[in-house]
Amino acid sequence: MNGSITLRPLFSRIVAVTIVLMAIAAVISLVVAGDSATLLRGVAGPLLAGYAAWMILWQPAVHISDGGVRLENVFRSVHVSWPAIQRVDTKWSLTLYTAFGSFAAWAAPAPGRHSQLSVDPANTRHLPDASYVGGALRPGDVPGTASGDAATIIRQRLQSLQEAGFLDDARLESPRAPVRFHWVRIAVLAALVVATVASAIS
């Protein structure tokens, strides 16, 4: 196989870093002010903004490995083994249709239709046949986009496994896809929301 690949959209990471830096600057300004009461009332908002940026814009990812695909979303992650993947779609975002249902990737949204206008035909020659619907390439499958790049890698690996015969007698490892909720992240987010609301009305 081809090892492990982690995909995160660059633009989302840039926005996340920008928001986190702004939040840090806000906290520093509160500390410099030297008023403990003002600090306690005002620190929750910047902390919430920075944490939410990390959780929503930085943390989500698509992890592709020899064992399958793991979609790291905001509130939960799901691991889908290669034998369980039946179809890959990119209409709204990268979506895996599996034996356990469909799972969308927060980190791989589909672009707008305008992205297809600037596609260089030379960049589409390597795409798997599954990237085309009715002979046409959809915006979500365009190379260089979050959904398109992820879908291409997944389809290529699926095709390689199928051609090698590894999926001829595919068996599922479990009756359902392993889903893990990020309870700690959710709890921290909820606590910061409560703290921000409380400081706003105090």
Side-chain angles (χ1 to χ4, degrees):
M1 291 291 285
N2 302 308
S4 300
I5 298 174
T6 297
L7 302 174
R8 288 188 175 93
L10 177 61
F11 180 74
S12 295
R13 286 183 290 169
I14 293 174
V15 174
V17 170
T18 301
I19 295 174
V20 169
L21 290 177
M22 292 174 63
I24 292 174
V27 172
I28 291 175
S29 67
L30 290 170
V31 172
V32 171
D35 184 348
S36 58
T38 301
L39 176 62
L40 290 174
R41 286 196 304 269
V43 73
L47 289 179
L48 173 61
Y51 184 79
W54 171 82
M55 185 175 176
I56 297 172
L57 298 173
W58 182 277
Q59 191 61 26
V62 178
H63 303 281
I64 305 170
S65 67
D66 295 347
V69 180
R70 181 163 62 89
L71 305 181
E72 184 89 10
N73 290 337
V74 176
F75 297 114
R76 69 175 187 173
S77 62
V78 57
H79 182 272
V80 183
S81 63
W82 294 110
I85 300 176
Q86 300 172 340
R87 181 166 64 90
V88 179
D89 190 76
T90 59
K91 184 176 182 180
W92 307 112
S93 66
L94 173 73
T95 303
L96 303 181
Y97 286 84
T98 77
F100 313 111
S102 60
F103 302 97
W106 182 278
R113 294 186 177 277
H114 66 277
S115 64
Q116 201 168 17
L117 301 177
S118 58
V119 177
D120 184 352
N123 294 333
T124 65
R125 293 173 184 168
H126 68 286
L127 296 178
D129 293 340
S131 299
Y132 297 87
V133 177
L137 186 67
R138 295 177 300 181
D141 290 310
V142 170
T145 64
S147 58
D149 289 346
T152 296
I153 296 172
I154 294 171
R155 286 168 175 152
Q156 287 175 338
R157 291 209 180 185
L158 274 175
Q159 183 174 318
S160 297
L161 288 169
Q162 291 166 348
E163 292 175 350
F166 291 120
L167 300 181
D168 289 347
D169 187 24
R171 297 182 182 181
L172 302 179
E173 298 177 355
S174 61
R176 62 184 64 184
V179 176
R180 180 171 64 89
F181 283 89
H182 306 305
W183 295 117
V184 174
R185 297 181 196 172
I186 295 171
V188 172
L189 181 65
L192 288 174
V193 170
V194 171
T196 301
V197 173
S199 64
I201 62 178
S202 61

